[in-house]
Amino acid sequence: FVQQKEGVLMAITKKIIQSPEDFQTLDRLIKEIWPEVFTPIIGSDQVAYMLAHYQSPAAIQNEVQQGAVYLLLLEGDRAVGYTAYEETQQQIYLSKLYLHQSTRGKGYASQVFDWYEEIASGKTLHLNVNKQNQQAIAVYEHRGFQRVSERSVAIGSGFVMDDFIYEKEIAEGEGAQQGEY
């Protein structure tokens, strides 16, 4: 991923999360990013619950064992975000894309979306987004995602995930660099 900004070449790279050190880095990022993004939307109690039950190292390792791919997003050698996806014959479920607030506005999310569109050639990109996450919704709609449904799921302790479901069809051949990390 490469971007030109104010005369300086900016690049973000992806690294598959595999080693214990990668998982530690991911855990640190989650604990920095999630409260900042989600506390205003769902409150600190639900953030704490979701961190413990859905974004804990054990939960993520279980997802990876079930086929999810987690990648650190690196600015130089500094981890500044992460993304995760699951792939089936028909779709790529983009389950996570989070960037540290210090890197937002640098075009990194666009670079990651470009990559997802490359690997999704002939498939559908699919994602869920909290109905109150207006910033993310605006980004998805700007990228050409269409709202196709919504869902409300009780996740325990009285908490609910109240999401819109978005999809984007990727035409065959748009993914010239499939599988490249």
Side-chain angles (χ1 to χ4, degrees):
F1 298 132
V2 179
Q3 173 201 353
Q4 188 78 27
K5 185 166 183 156
E6 299 176 0
V8 178
L9 195 61
M10 307 283 290
I12 191 165
T13 56
K14 300 175 301 306
K15 178 184 181 195
I16 294 177
I17 296 172
Q18 296 176 312
S19 72
E21 294 80 16
D22 293 340
F23 279 99
Q24 288 174 353
T25 299
L26 175 63
D27 188 52
R28 178 185 53 77
L29 280 170
I30 290 169
K31 289 175 179 170
E32 291 174 11
I33 295 171
W34 263 66
E36 179 258 324
V37 170
F38 286 110
T39 300
I41 297 171
I42 60 176
S44 59
D45 290 343
Q46 185 167 344
V47 168
Y49 181 85
M50 292 183 76
L51 287 174
H53 292 88
Y54 294 96
Q55 289 289 273
S56 69
I60 291 169
Q61 287 177 345
N62 185 53
E63 281 185 53
V64 169
Q65 290 171 353
Q66 300 297 318
V69 178
Y70 272 76
L71 301 119
L72 290 173
L73 301 174
L74 306 169
E75 181 182 62
D77 60 357
R78 183 173 77 105
V80 296
Y82 69 103
T83 190
Y85 71 95
E86 297 173 34
E87 188 170 4
T88 67
Q89 197 73 9
Q90 294 81 26
Q91 76 176 17
I92 291 184
Y93 171 54
L94 196 169
S95 66
K96 304 190 180 47
L97 173 52
Y98 297 104
L99 290 166
H100 196 276
Q101 75 178 45
S102 66
T103 63
R104 291 185 204 136
K106 293 185 175 185
Y108 293 162
S110 290
Q111 294 174 37
V112 175
F113 277 118
D114 289 347
W115 175 74
Y116 273 118
E117 290 173 9
E118 289 173 1
I119 67 167
S121 176
K123 297 184 179 191
T124 300
L125 278 174
H126 176 91
L127 59 86
N128 302 332
V129 60
N130 183 286
K131 290 179 180 177
Q132 305 306 312
N133 194 343
Q134 296 302 315
Q135 183 177 1
I137 289 169
V139 168
Y140 300 145
E141 290 178 352
H142 176 75
R143 289 295 303 198
F145 284 82
Q146 302 291 314
R147 185 183 310 167
V148 297
S149 188
E150 56 186 79
R151 70 175 192 163
S152 186
V153 178
I155 60 171
S157 295
F159 297 119
V160 174
M161 287 195 312
D162 196 19
D163 294 342
F164 290 128
I165 299 170
Y166 277 81
E167 291 184 346
K168 181 176 182 179
E169 300 289 329
I170 307 299
E172 189 74 40
E174 286 186 45
Q177 299 173 10
Q178 288 188 24
E180 184 177 301
Y181 290 95

